[in-house]
Amino acid sequence: MFFKNNAILNIFKYSTQRISFINIRMQHWTQPCLDNQTNKSQLHLYNSLTRETNLFVPQSGNKVTWYSCGPTVYDASHMGHARSYISFDILRRVMSDYFNYDIYYVMNITDVDDKIINRARRNHLIKQFRESNPSNEKILQDLDVSLKNYREKLLKTTDADKIVMINKILESVVSCEDQFRKAISSGASTAEIDHLKEDLLLKSHDPLSEWLDAQFGSTITEHRIFSELTQYWEKEYNEDMKSLNIRPADIITRVSQYIPEIVAYIERIIENGFGYVCNGSVYFDTIKFGSSENHKYAKLVPEAVGDLAALAEGEGDLSQLNPGAKKSDRDFALWKASKVGEPYWPSPWGNGRPGWHIECSAMASDILGNSIDIHTGGVDLKFPHHDNEIAQAEAHYNCSQWINYFLHAGHLTIDGCKMSKSLKNFVTVKDALKKNTSRQIRLAFLLHAWNATLDYNSNVLKEAEQIEKLFMDFFLNVKDIIRNNESFSLTSHNYKEEEKLLQNNFMEKKQKIHEALCDSINTVVAVQQMQSLVKLANIYIGQARQNNKVPNHAVIGGIAKYLTKMLKIFGVNDGDQEIGFSLVDVSGNLKHEEIVMPYIQLVAEFRESVRKVAREKKVPEILKMCDEIRDTKLPELGVQLEDHEGNNLPVVKLVDKETLLKERQQKLDEIEKKRREKEELKQKQLEEKLMKEAKAKVPPSEMFKLEQDKYSLFDEQGIPTHDSNGEKLSSSQLKKLKKLYTQQEKLYQKYLES
């Protein structure tokens, strides 16, 4: 009993002491104060629904539901599409890999659409026309009729850009037709005529296929013709996105696979009183929806509600009804009754196909439910597509808010001009990748706000190339320093004022980058701060080399690792390397620097020893051979060698071979440019000298007489007194001429003396 009581007493004493200790400890700890930086450390996104930047708050903790409008697959993906897909890939990567959100990303493929129907039918009819092996007379006869119809289309067109496009097509076709007719009438060879015929059929595709479609489009009955087109271009789209290093969506939905769900979705809209049937089609009642409690039509662009041209374009070329068929011109199709020559599916209202806008509402809702965190798409889709999407979904669920954050990527222009498939003014993704790498294109996009207009031009791409080189050179320098001075990092203390300053700058830059990303993922400022950090680190490395000091590996290595990580987050870089860009050989396999570098390092050190002996013995031929190895041989193997004065060893960099060869060619081009400029200047100076000498040889009494078109009478010295019309010259004119006479007199005298 005594033991038990004593134990309880000891426990009580210990507990009392513990509580007392905790109280003492808490008295010596102060809660850090929150400052105005707290709000800057939270993600905000520019929201098209509010037209301002809002704090991002997901509905369910860290989980984010995201729906993105995908491509209409009837033609090649172009850089206008890439503007949206790369921009949203950057946002997705930053939110996922930097802010650690768990994102469920859904994207649709539009494989049922008026543009698809038109393109598939016309391609098929042109193919049939070619396979029928028409005579030259038949081609010219049909082409004349089709051009007449195309010119009538031009007269009805009001869009200025489309007028320019149609005129260009007409001019091109007429020019080809003239050449073709001349070749036939002049008895040109069969090969030449066939070549011109092929060119004519190619350039007249639009007017001829439109005319053929008007004549025979209704005879197309096979679904296969439409599905083959969409399957081909979807495959091409996926390859393009892979080439641009865009992450695939978690779920892909296709309209053709969601017809039953879309029909059920429309039925609910009708049940809720916001849809009505008309001649086998179903329309959305925008007037009733907009006047209903808790509903508002055109939340994104309310000022565009009366834009009937935009509404008509959203309905598609094949969907125009007679005036008065709908309750209001503002109403849009949920379900379109299919006409002959169009694909169709059964529905309670008859055979038909979904309207353009309903597909996204139905598919997004089926996967993500009645409330979605983020919806994305190009800015050109705001009205009517996205506004109609919102209205349909809110009518279906009878709710007031379906999307919480609507993000729209800005336009892309080429040298200030609008890019559009319908205007035939675009650069395909494949063509763009022939001129620049995926990395360079992405860097160009990072240099512009994702929701602002991006002008895609050579200056923008050149800036991206320069930034890529800045990062690449820095990474290679850091790796070279760490590799060559490993032992110093273990034995030397070199964390002094310079290192402390660089480390402080590093921490400040990281904070600014974080604040930029919190500010609607402002990659423009983030990349600028990253560039600034590289320049600060380069200054530190340069000063260390000048002082024969080994840079601190921990500091510069930490900066390089951080920048590598950020570039991976932006999708500019891939691989599991800690520092630098991944290097991939032609077979797609990663090169292992730890295997290759020792051999290259050995060559570099041997070359440096040879150069030292050659300088001491004064053997310029050997020095020239060493330079040739550096400038020609090693770059062809993907190795860049940089010599440094003093006791510093050469810097060895393992670089992409194509990059090095391109840089070498640029240097050679620059040298050639300077040579040409020097020659041109020399030639210009020579011509000026000869002209001066020729002028000096003219006696002053003869100089004005050579200008008979200006003067008609002269005095005894040869100075003009009257102009070409016989009018006497004024005193001021005579004074000026006498001054020129005196100058020539001096020049001529010098010539005589020489």
Side-chain angles (χ1 to χ4, degrees):
M1 183 69 179
F2 171 77
F3 174 78
K4 185 176 180 181
N5 290 338
N6 192 44
I8 292 170
L9 181 63
N10 288 336
I11 291 169
F12 175 75
K13 286 180 179 179
Y14 173 78
S15 300
T16 305
Q17 291 172 354
R18 178 68 176 163
I19 293 167
S20 176
F21 174 74
I22 291 170
N23 288 335
I24 292 170
R25 187 175 66 180
M26 290 191 69
Q27 289 172 3
H28 288 82
W29 183 80
T30 304
Q31 170 73 49
C33 296
L34 299 174
D35 57 19
N36 59 3
Q37 295 292 320
T38 305
N39 190 47
K40 291 183 178 180
S41 295
Q42 294 177 291
L43 175 62
H44 293 66
L45 293 173
Y46 183 82
N47 188 356
S48 295
L49 287 163
T50 62
R51 301 191 182 185
E52 61 184 22
T53 303
N54 302 130
L55 177 67
F56 179 63
V57 182
Q59 299 174 88
S60 181
N62 210 41
K63 295 179 180 178
V64 176
T65 53
W66 188 329
Y67 181 81
S68 185
C69 276
T72 301
V73 282
Y74 72 98
D75 205 340
S77 298
H78 58 63
M79 292 308 294
H81 301 133
R83 172 56 169 151
S84 292
Y85 301 134
I86 293 177
S87 296
F88 296 139
D89 185 67
I90 291 168
L91 297 189
R92 180 185 176 191
R93 286 171 180 269
V94 171
M95 291 179 66
S96 174
D97 300 352
Y98 185 86
F99 289 104
N100 298 314
Y101 286 108
D102 182 11
I103 296 173
Y104 189 38
Y105 193 87
V106 179
M107 188 187 78
N108 78 298
I109 297 286
T110 298
D111 60 354
V112 179
D113 180 81
D114 287 26
K115 292 175 182 176
I116 292 169
I117 295 168
N118 274 330
R119 179 63 59 86
R121 282 198 321 215
R122 292 172 185 181
N123 285 355
H124 180 72
L125 290 168
I126 282 285
K127 182 182 177 184
Q128 282 187 332
F129 183 78
R130 284 171 168 271
E131 290 174 350
S132 68
N133 195 22
S135 65
N136 295 338
E137 292 74 17
K138 171 68 173 172
I139 291 172
L140 291 170
Q141 181 183 349
D142 288 352
L143 186 58
D144 284 345
V145 178
S146 65
L147 287 176
K148 180 182 177 182
N149 291 341
Y150 209 61
R151 289 188 180 97
E152 290 175 359
K153 175 183 177 179
L154 175 63
L155 295 174
K156 297 175 184 177
T157 303
T158 56
D159 185 283
D161 292 328
K162 286 186 178 179
I163 290 172
V164 171
M165 177 200 72
I166 294 172
N167 271 319
K168 283 183 178 179
I169 292 172
L170 284 169
E171 288 172 9
S172 176
V173 175
V174 169
S175 175
C176 285
E177 185 184 13
D178 287 343
Q179 292 180 42
F180 185 54
R181 288 181 183 275
K182 286 177 182 177
I184 294 171
S185 61
S186 64
S189 67
T190 304
E192 185 180 351
I193 292 173
D194 287 345
H195 174 74
L196 290 170
K197 178 167 66 175
E198 184 62 30
D199 190 38
L200 178 60
L201 288 172
L202 186 67
K203 290 182 177 175
S204 63
H205 181 279
D206 282 3
L208 185 58
S209 66
E210 279 193 22
W211 178 72
L212 289 171
D213 189 44
Q215 303 296 310
F216 310 109
S218 60
T219 65
I220 306 298
T221 57
E222 295 181 69
H223 271 235
R224 171 188 58 80
I225 292 169
F226 306 103
S227 61
E228 283 178 354
L229 178 78
T230 57
Q231 287 168 12
Y232 173 82
W233 287 115
E234 182 180 344
K235 180 175 176 290
E236 289 290 302
Y237 163 80
N238 289 330
E239 289 178 1
D240 288 340
M241 296 305 104
K242 186 177 180 181
S243 299
L244 292 172
N245 195 30
I246 293 173
R247 287 180 178 172
D250 295 313
I251 291 290
I252 293 285
T253 62
R254 296 175 186 82
V255 182
S256 60
Q257 298 171 348
Y258 265 79
I259 301 298
E261 289 85 351
I262 291 171
V263 168
Y265 202 89
I266 295 171
E267 286 181 310
R268 174 64 66 85
I269 293 173
I270 294 172
E271 288 173 11
N272 289 343
F274 298 112
Y276 61 91
V277 182
C278 178
N279 298 328
S281 296
V282 182
Y283 293 90
F284 188 85
D285 194 332
T286 55
I287 304 299
K288 184 175 182 180
F289 178 81
S291 60
S292 300
E293 190 178 358
N294 297 326
H295 291 312
K296 181 182 178 183
Y297 179 58
K299 287 184 174 181
L300 292 167
V301 196
E303 61 271 24
V305 169
D307 189 347
L308 298 181
L311 287 164
E313 188 173 352
E315 290 295 85
D317 293 339
L318 304 175
S319 308
Q320 307 306 313
L321 290 179
N322 295 324
K326 296 187 288 186
K327 290 182 179 180
S328 167
D329 288 337
R330 299 177 183 179
D331 295 350
F332 55 89
L334 301 174
W335 183 263
K336 301 176 181 180
S338 289
K339 300 185 287 295
V340 288
E342 298 177 3
Y344 61 86
W345 288 264
S347 80
W349 319 289
N351 290 336
R353 52 195 169 89
W356 177 30
H357 319 296
I358 193 64
E359 63 181 72
C360 289
S361 300
M363 293 189 290
S365 297
D366 184 70
I367 303 295
L368 300 175
N370 63 353
S371 184
I372 299 172
D373 291 312
I374 296 176
H375 192 320
T376 50
V379 67
D380 54 311
L381 298 178
K382 270 189 180 182
F383 184 87
H385 185 55
H386 288 157
D387 269 325
N388 288 353
E389 268 191 66
I390 293 171
Q392 292 164 156
E394 292 179 358
H396 176 273
Y397 290 114
N398 212 5
C399 66
S400 59
Q401 186 163 306
W402 178 51
I403 301 296
N404 292 338
Y405 299 85
F406 228 124
L407 315 182
H408 287 96
H411 282 298
L412 183 136
T413 57
I414 302 180
D415 293 321
C417 297
K418 179 183 176 183
M419 185 182 286
S420 167
K421 270 186 190 176
S422 61
L423 299 176
K424 300 187 183 298
N425 168 42
F426 60 89
V427 175
T428 66
V429 170
K430 285 181 173 60
D431 285 342
L433 288 170
K434 290 175 184 176
K435 296 181 179 179
N436 291 91
T437 65
S438 170
R439 179 189 297 162
Q440 291 163 352
I441 291 172
R442 187 170 287 247
L443 280 169
F445 280 49
L446 286 163
L447 297 174
H448 295 77
W450 57 268
N451 56 339
T453 297
L454 187 162
D455 192 41
Y456 189 76
N457 57 57
S458 57
N459 290 333
V460 168
L461 293 167
K462 188 174 181 180
E463 185 181 2
E465 291 171 9
Q466 291 169 344
I467 293 173
E468 178 190 40
K469 190 174 188 309
L470 176 74
F471 286 124
M472 185 179 290
D473 286 345
F474 173 67
F475 292 141
L476 294 171
N477 278 329
V478 171
K479 289 198 284 187
D480 182 78
I481 291 167
I482 293 173
R483 185 172 56 247
N484 289 328
N485 301 289
E486 201 67 54
S487 58
F488 290 102
S489 65
L490 299 175
T491 60
S492 304
H493 161 51
N494 59 350
Y495 194 85
K496 298 180 181 177
E497 291 306 314
E498 298 89 342
E499 287 74 24
K500 291 176 183 177
L501 176 61
L502 181 59
Q503 183 64 33
N504 287 336
N505 285 330
F506 178 26
M507 300 301 289
E508 288 176 8
K509 294 296 179 187
K510 282 206 291 187
Q511 179 59 31
K512 288 180 179 179
I513 290 167
H514 177 71
E515 290 173 4
L517 295 180
C518 288
D519 182 19
S520 196
I521 309 185
N522 189 339
T523 59
V524 182
V525 172
V527 173
Q528 287 172 348
Q529 294 297 326
M530 290 165 68
Q531 289 175 260
S532 176
L533 180 56
V534 170
K535 291 171 184 176
L536 290 170
N538 282 339
I539 291 170
Y540 165 77
I541 292 170
Q543 290 174 342
R545 280 178 172 155
Q546 286 179 354
N547 299 324
N548 288 325
K549 176 183 173 183
V550 179
N552 187 292
H553 292 184
V555 179
I556 63 169
I559 292 171
K561 288 175 184 176
Y562 168 76
L563 292 171
T564 300
K565 175 185 171 185
M566 291 307 301
L567 290 170
K568 286 181 182 178
I569 287 171
F570 291 150
V572 176
N573 196 7
D574 275 321
D576 56 3
Q577 72 284 357
E578 282 192 315
I579 294 177
F581 294 119
S582 62
L583 289 171
V584 182
D585 63 20
V586 292
S587 63
N589 299 315
L590 287 175
K591 294 178 180 176
H592 297 290
E593 288 188 53
E594 62 271 19
I595 297 174
V596 181
M597 192 55 74
Y599 299 99
I600 299 172
Q601 192 71 41
L602 187 64
V603 171
E605 291 173 4
F606 176 75
R607 173 181 169 277
E608 186 62 22
S609 300
V610 171
R611 289 178 76 232
K612 185 177 180 182
V613 173
R615 282 195 296 267
E616 291 173 354
K617 302 294 183 181
K618 297 182 179 179
V619 187
E621 293 84 2
I622 294 178
L623 287 172
K624 187 177 179 181
M625 290 169 64
C626 290
D627 288 346
E628 186 180 358
I629 289 173
R630 177 195 62 200
D631 299 335
T632 305
K633 304 296 183 184
L634 288 176
E636 290 175 354
L637 299 174
V639 178
Q640 185 175 0
L641 201 63
E642 295 177 358
D643 293 323
H644 288 275
E645 299 301 321
N647 297 321
N648 295 304
L649 289 171
V651 175
V652 181
K653 299 177 179 179
L654 204 59
V655 188
D656 176 63
K657 174 184 172 181
E658 283 70 25
T659 301
L660 285 179
L661 294 180
K662 183 179 179 182
E663 288 179 2
R664 186 177 73 181
Q665 188 59 47
Q666 287 173 343
K667 288 178 183 177
L668 292 173
D669 291 344
E670 189 63 30
I671 292 170
E672 176 61 20
K673 181 183 176 184
K674 289 180 179 178
R675 187 196 66 77
R676 286 199 308 268
E677 289 174 349
K678 189 176 179 180
E679 285 293 326
E680 288 170 2
L681 179 61
K682 187 177 178 181
Q683 182 63 28
K684 184 179 178 182
Q685 289 172 341
L686 178 62
E687 289 173 358
E688 288 175 351
K689 181 183 177 182
L690 292 172
M691 286 177 65
K692 191 174 181 181
E693 289 176 354
K695 182 181 179 183
K697 291 179 182 179
V698 178
S701 59
E702 298 295 323
M703 63 180 291
F704 294 117
K705 291 179 181 179
L706 298 173
E707 300 178 277
Q708 294 288 342
D709 59 326
K710 291 184 179 180
Y711 312 110
S712 57
L713 293 175
F714 306 86
D715 64 13
E716 63 278 3
Q717 287 182 297
I719 298 174
T721 57
H722 293 71
D723 63 18
S724 59
N725 296 321
E727 297 290 332
K728 194 174 182 179
L729 298 177
S730 66
S731 57
S732 61
Q733 288 175 310
L734 286 171
K735 186 177 179 181
K736 183 179 178 182
L737 292 172
K738 286 178 181 178
K739 186 177 179 181
L740 292 172
Y741 182 93
T742 304
Q743 291 173 352
Q744 183 64 21
E745 197 173 31
K746 291 178 182 178
L747 282 173
Y748 185 67
Q749 187 60 38
K750 284 183 181 180
Y751 164 70
L752 292 176
E753 291 172 357
S754 67

